[in-house]
Amino acid sequence: MVNFKAFSIIKNIFSRLNPLNSFDFGEIDVEIGKTPTSDELLKKTINKYSYFEKVIMLAIYHLINTQFVECEYLTVLTKDFRLIADLVEGEKNKVHLSDDVRNECNDNNILIACHNHYFGAIIPSCEDILSIIIYGCQFAVISSENYIGIICNDCNEMVLEDIKRELLLFDKYIEFRFSIDCFDEIQLLDESSVDFKKLKLELYDKFVCRNNEKFVNEFNSRFNKYNIYEIYIKL
């Protein structure tokens, strides 16, 4: 016999990890809110911001110059169109803010901040999103191989705590899908190897890349209500 109480808890957890409008109901007609596609969001953003072409051009510039590199780089354009960081080299999984960049961040004067990920993955981390909101960055670009993700931010910092909770659930959802979909590949990794964490992270990034569009749509279904969304572009 099914333990109804335990089942209810599991069902509740899964429903929070995976919102209703991300399920495929086949031929069943279900009235749920439809998340705009990346193409629709791109058209909306182009129409809204006359200078969005600069965002696209800087995104492509950063992508071209960070192909197959071994560390993250940072490119930053201010709202008065000054390039205050031009492919500044960071570390393997981190970029550093110079005093000039940090000062402009504190003044909420960042129009575009670009950095790169690995193996084609363009889903923002919790740290990425929180930095974008806290520093009032209007656009953030994540580039990787031949993919570009443009995060558009018109978010009110008053909902920051709600977003933190939502980000945690979003991260857990991706980890959950990774553990299921890549179970066999994960089992083949040698946990005793000194490279275990590195190899598992590479496997994770490649998994995210294979599902970039799905996870971008999932991200938008959760965060569009906070006026923050990501546009997915494959070149």
Side-chain angles (χ1 to χ4, degrees), residues 8-33:
S8 298
I9 293 171
I10 293 171
K11 183 179 179 183
N12 181 52
I13 292 171
F14 188 74
S15 67
R16 286 189 290 117
L17 286 173
N18 198 8
L20 182 65
N21 62 359
S22 66
F23 282 104
D24 180 7
F25 289 91
E27 297 180 358
I28 302 175
D29 185 17
V30 180
E31 289 295 325
I32 54 178

mmCIF file of all heavy atoms in Angstrom, residues 8-33:
data_model
loop_
_atom_site.group_PDB
_atom_site.id
_atom_site.type_symbol
_atom_site.label_atom_id
_atom_site.label_comp_id
_atom_site.label_asym_id
_atom_site.label_seq_id
_atom_site.Cartn_x
_atom_site.Cartn_y
_atom_site.Cartn_z
ATOM 1 N N SER A 8 2.522 12.385 -0.867
ATOM 2 C CA SER A 8 2.140 13.789 -0.981
ATOM 3 C C SER A 8 3.343 14.705 -0.852
ATOM 4 O O SER A 8 3.463 15.696 -1.566
ATOM 5 C CB SER A 8 1.103 14.141 0.093
ATOM 6 O OG SER A 8 -0.066 13.391 -0.076
ATOM 7 N N ILE A 9 4.260 14.355 0.042
ATOM 8 C CA ILE A 9 5.463 15.156 0.244
ATOM 9 C C ILE A 9 6.328 15.128 -1.012
ATOM 10 O O ILE A 9 6.802 16.158 -1.494
ATOM 11 C CB ILE A 9 6.260 14.650 1.466
ATOM 12 C CG1 ILE A 9 5.464 14.908 2.749
ATOM 13 C CG2 ILE A 9 7.623 15.337 1.539
ATOM 14 C CD1 ILE A 9 6.058 14.258 3.970
ATOM 15 N N ILE A 10 6.527 13.914 -1.560
ATOM 16 C CA ILE A 10 7.344 13.760 -2.776
ATOM 17 C C ILE A 10 6.716 14.528 -3.929
ATOM 18 O O ILE A 10 7.388 15.237 -4.680
ATOM 19 C CB ILE A 10 7.499 12.269 -3.135
ATOM 20 C CG1 ILE A 10 8.343 11.556 -2.071
ATOM 21 C CG2 ILE A 10 8.158 12.111 -4.510
ATOM 22 C CD1 ILE A 10 8.368 10.068 -2.231
ATOM 23 N N LYS A 11 5.406 14.401 -4.069
ATOM 24 C CA LYS A 11 4.705 15.081 -5.155
ATOM 25 C C LYS A 11 4.852 16.596 -5.021
ATOM 26 O O LYS A 11 5.069 17.310 -6.007
ATOM 27 C CB LYS A 11 3.225 14.691 -5.139
ATOM 28 C CG LYS A 11 2.418 15.310 -6.284
ATOM 29 C CD LYS A 11 0.969 14.876 -6.218
ATOM 30 C CE LYS A 11 0.165 15.522 -7.344
ATOM 31 N NZ LYS A 11 -1.263 15.180 -7.259
ATOM 32 N N ASN A 12 4.764 17.090 -3.791
ATOM 33 C CA ASN A 12 4.891 18.527 -3.553
ATOM 34 C C ASN A 12 6.288 19.022 -3.901
ATOM 35 O O ASN A 12 6.454 20.063 -4.538
ATOM 36 C CB ASN A 12 4.576 18.834 -2.085
ATOM 37 C CG ASN A 12 4.677 20.324 -1.792
ATOM 38 O OD1 ASN A 12 4.072 21.134 -2.485
ATOM 39 N ND2 ASN A 12 5.448 20.676 -0.787
ATOM 40 N N ILE A 13 7.304 18.258 -3.506
ATOM 41 C CA ILE A 13 8.688 18.630 -3.810
ATOM 42 C C ILE A 13 8.912 18.658 -5.314
ATOM 43 O O ILE A 13 9.465 19.605 -5.859
ATOM 44 C CB ILE A 13 9.682 17.649 -3.145
ATOM 45 C CG1 ILE A 13 9.637 17.817 -1.622
ATOM 46 C CG2 ILE A 13 11.107 17.877 -3.658
ATOM 47 C CD1 ILE A 13 10.411 16.753 -0.879
ATOM 48 N N PHE A 14 8.441 17.620 -6.007
ATOM 49 C CA PHE A 14 8.665 17.549 -7.449
ATOM 50 C C PHE A 14 7.931 18.659 -8.175
ATOM 51 O O PHE A 14 8.445 19.227 -9.143
ATOM 52 C CB PHE A 14 8.236 16.186 -7.992
ATOM 53 C CG PHE A 14 8.621 15.987 -9.433
ATOM 54 C CD1 PHE A 14 9.940 15.736 -9.767
ATOM 55 C CD2 PHE A 14 7.691 16.086 -10.445
ATOM 56 C CE1 PHE A 14 10.319 15.576 -11.090
ATOM 57 C CE2 PHE A 14 8.058 15.928 -11.764
ATOM 58 C CZ PHE A 14 9.376 15.667 -12.090
ATOM 59 N N SER A 15 6.718 18.996 -7.696
ATOM 60 C CA SER A 15 5.959 20.055 -8.364
ATOM 61 C C SER A 15 6.664 21.395 -8.222
ATOM 62 O O SER A 15 6.589 22.244 -9.106
ATOM 63 C CB SER A 15 4.543 20.142 -7.785
ATOM 64 O OG SER A 15 4.574 20.572 -6.444
ATOM 65 N N ARG A 16 7.384 21.602 -7.108
ATOM 66 C CA ARG A 16 8.135 22.849 -6.936
ATOM 67 C C ARG A 16 9.392 22.848 -7.792
ATOM 68 O O ARG A 16 9.817 23.881 -8.285
ATOM 69 C CB ARG A 16 8.495 23.045 -5.462
ATOM 70 C CG ARG A 16 7.298 23.462 -4.621
ATOM 71 C CD ARG A 16 7.694 23.872 -3.220
ATOM 72 N NE ARG A 16 8.144 22.749 -2.422
ATOM 73 C CZ ARG A 16 9.359 22.624 -1.921
ATOM 74 N NH1 ARG A 16 10.263 23.540 -2.145
ATOM 75 N NH2 ARG A 16 9.697 21.571 -1.198
ATOM 76 N N LEU A 17 9.975 21.661 -7.967
ATOM 77 C CA LEU A 17 11.168 21.565 -8.810
ATOM 78 C C LEU A 17 10.815 21.736 -10.272
ATOM 79 O O LEU A 17 11.599 22.235 -11.067
ATOM 80 C CB LEU A 17 11.857 20.210 -8.610
ATOM 81 C CG LEU A 17 12.617 20.008 -7.308
ATOM 82 C CD1 LEU A 17 13.095 18.570 -7.201
ATOM 83 C CD2 LEU A 17 13.804 20.948 -7.216
ATOM 84 N N ASN A 18 9.635 21.296 -10.640
ATOM 85 C CA ASN A 18 9.257 21.293 -12.048
ATOM 86 C C ASN A 18 7.854 21.880 -12.202
ATOM 87 O O ASN A 18 6.878 21.170 -12.062
ATOM 88 C CB ASN A 18 9.295 19.856 -12.574
ATOM 89 C CG ASN A 18 9.353 19.817 -14.085
ATOM 90 O OD1 ASN A 18 9.506 20.846 -14.718
ATOM 91 N ND2 ASN A 18 9.230 18.647 -14.649
ATOM 92 N N PRO A 19 7.716 23.193 -12.447
ATOM 93 C CA PRO A 19 6.401 23.841 -12.510
ATOM 94 C C PRO A 19 5.489 23.226 -13.559
ATOM 95 O O PRO A 19 5.943 22.632 -14.535
ATOM 96 C CB PRO A 19 6.745 25.292 -12.877
ATOM 97 C CG PRO A 19 8.152 25.469 -12.479
ATOM 98 C CD PRO A 19 8.796 24.127 -12.673
ATOM 99 N N LEU A 20 4.200 23.403 -13.367
ATOM 100 C CA LEU A 20 3.192 22.782 -14.215
ATOM 101 C C LEU A 20 3.396 23.056 -15.688
ATOM 102 O O LEU A 20 3.273 22.163 -16.519
ATOM 103 C CB LEU A 20 1.802 23.281 -13.779
ATOM 104 C CG LEU A 20 0.599 22.697 -14.516
ATOM 105 C CD1 LEU A 20 0.491 21.211 -14.219
ATOM 106 C CD2 LEU A 20 -0.678 23.407 -14.087
ATOM 107 N N ASN A 21 3.746 24.290 -16.033
ATOM 108 C CA ASN A 21 3.794 24.626 -17.460
ATOM 109 C C ASN A 21 5.037 24.101 -18.164
ATOM 110 O O ASN A 21 5.264 24.377 -19.321
ATOM 111 C CB ASN A 21 3.661 26.136 -17.669
ATOM 112 C CG ASN A 21 4.793 26.906 -17.031
ATOM 113 O OD1 ASN A 21 5.665 26.317 -16.415
ATOM 114 N ND2 ASN A 21 4.768 28.213 -17.179
ATOM 115 N N SER A 22 5.877 23.288 -17.471
ATOM 116 C CA SER A 22 7.010 22.677 -18.154
ATOM 117 C C SER A 22 6.736 21.215 -18.502
ATOM 118 O O SER A 22 7.566 20.544 -19.074
ATOM 119 C CB SER A 22 8.277 22.761 -17.285
ATOM 120 O OG SER A 22 8.131 21.980 -16.129
ATOM 121 N N PHE A 23 5.558 20.696 -18.110
ATOM 122 C CA PHE A 23 5.205 19.316 -18.438
ATOM 123 C C PHE A 23 4.608 19.228 -19.833
ATOM 124 O O PHE A 23 3.954 20.156 -20.309
ATOM 125 C CB PHE A 23 4.193 18.760 -17.432
ATOM 126 C CG PHE A 23 4.802 18.337 -16.127
ATOM 127 C CD1 PHE A 23 4.667 19.119 -14.998
ATOM 128 C CD2 PHE A 23 5.514 17.163 -16.034
ATOM 129 C CE1 PHE A 23 5.222 18.737 -13.797
ATOM 130 C CE2 PHE A 23 6.081 16.770 -14.838
ATOM 131 C CZ PHE A 23 5.933 17.561 -13.713
ATOM 132 N N ASP A 24 4.800 18.075 -20.473
ATOM 133 C CA ASP A 24 4.193 17.812 -21.768
ATOM 134 C C ASP A 24 2.959 16.949 -21.534
ATOM 135 O O ASP A 24 3.057 15.803 -21.107
ATOM 136 C CB ASP A 24 5.201 17.085 -22.677
ATOM 137 C CG ASP A 24 4.606 16.779 -24.042
ATOM 138 O OD1 ASP A 24 3.485 17.240 -24.311
ATOM 139 O OD2 ASP A 24 5.275 16.084 -24.826
ATOM 140 N N PHE A 25 1.766 17.487 -21.828
ATOM 141 C CA PHE A 25 0.533 16.756 -21.593
ATOM 142 C C PHE A 25 -0.009 16.098 -22.861
ATOM 143 O O PHE A 25 -1.152 15.660 -22.891
ATOM 144 C CB PHE A 25 -0.534 17.704 -21.019
ATOM 145 C CG PHE A 25 -0.255 18.117 -19.610
ATOM 146 C CD1 PHE A 25 0.473 19.258 -19.337
ATOM 147 C CD2 PHE A 25 -0.699 17.349 -18.547
ATOM 148 C CE1 PHE A 25 0.735 19.643 -18.039
ATOM 149 C CE2 PHE A 25 -0.442 17.723 -17.251
ATOM 150 C CZ PHE A 25 0.274 18.867 -16.986
ATOM 151 N N GLY A 26 0.806 16.038 -23.908
ATOM 152 C CA GLY A 26 0.375 15.372 -25.125
ATOM 153 C C GLY A 26 -0.852 16.035 -25.716
ATOM 154 O O GLY A 26 -0.862 17.231 -25.975
ATOM 155 N N GLU A 27 -1.923 15.243 -25.913
ATOM 156 C CA GLU A 27 -3.127 15.760 -26.548
ATOM 157 C C GLU A 27 -4.121 16.344 -25.548
ATOM 158 O O GLU A 27 -5.182 16.823 -25.918
ATOM 159 C CB GLU A 27 -3.808 14.642 -27.349
ATOM 160 C CG GLU A 27 -2.937 14.123 -28.499
ATOM 161 C CD GLU A 27 -3.633 13.021 -29.267
ATOM 162 O OE1 GLU A 27 -4.758 12.653 -28.877
ATOM 163 O OE2 GLU A 27 -3.057 12.536 -30.259
ATOM 164 N N ILE A 28 -3.792 16.311 -24.267
ATOM 165 C CA ILE A 28 -4.700 16.836 -23.255
ATOM 166 C C ILE A 28 -4.660 18.360 -23.284
ATOM 167 O O ILE A 28 -3.598 18.967 -23.256
ATOM 168 C CB ILE A 28 -4.320 16.322 -21.848
ATOM 169 C CG1 ILE A 28 -4.347 14.792 -21.818
ATOM 170 C CG2 ILE A 28 -5.249 16.899 -20.787
ATOM 171 C CD1 ILE A 28 -3.873 14.198 -20.518
ATOM 172 N N ASP A 29 -5.817 18.968 -23.327
ATOM 173 C CA ASP A 29 -5.909 20.424 -23.376
ATOM 174 C C ASP A 29 -5.905 20.965 -21.949
ATOM 175 O O ASP A 29 -6.864 20.777 -21.197
ATOM 176 C CB ASP A 29 -7.188 20.842 -24.103
ATOM 177 C CG ASP A 29 -7.270 22.348 -24.287
ATOM 178 O OD1 ASP A 29 -6.221 23.000 -24.157
ATOM 179 O OD2 ASP A 29 -8.377 22.846 -24.557
ATOM 180 N N VAL A 30 -4.814 21.628 -21.572
ATOM 181 C CA VAL A 30 -4.693 22.156 -20.219
ATOM 182 C C VAL A 30 -4.484 23.663 -20.305
ATOM 183 O O VAL A 30 -3.599 24.134 -21.019
ATOM 184 C CB VAL A 30 -3.505 21.508 -19.464
ATOM 185 C CG1 VAL A 30 -3.420 22.081 -18.055
ATOM 186 C CG2 VAL A 30 -3.660 19.997 -19.432
ATOM 187 N N GLU A 31 -5.295 24.417 -19.584
ATOM 188 C CA GLU A 31 -5.186 25.870 -19.603
ATOM 189 C C GLU A 31 -4.095 26.320 -18.626
ATOM 190 O O GLU A 31 -4.306 26.353 -17.417
ATOM 191 C CB GLU A 31 -6.524 26.511 -19.215
ATOM 192 C CG GLU A 31 -7.604 26.381 -20.277
ATOM 193 C CD GLU A 31 -7.248 27.140 -21.543
ATOM 194 O OE1 GLU A 31 -6.619 28.205 -21.418
ATOM 195 O OE2 GLU A 31 -7.592 26.665 -22.635
ATOM 196 N N ILE A 32 -2.918 26.624 -19.145
ATOM 197 C CA ILE A 32 -1.817 27.096 -18.318
ATOM 198 C C ILE A 32 -1.141 28.263 -19.028
ATOM 199 O O ILE A 32 -1.285 28.428 -20.238
ATOM 200 C CB ILE A 32 -0.777 25.976 -18.045
ATOM 201 C CG1 ILE A 32 -0.308 25.364 -19.364
ATOM 202 C CG2 ILE A 32 -1.339 24.930 -17.127
ATOM 203 C CD1 ILE A 32 0.744 24.286 -19.186
ATOM 204 N N GLY A 33 -0.423 29.052 -18.271
ATOM 205 C CA GLY A 33 0.273 30.190 -18.872
ATOM 206 C C GLY A 33 1.376 29.723 -19.804
ATOM 207 O O GLY A 33 2.145 28.844 -19.455
#
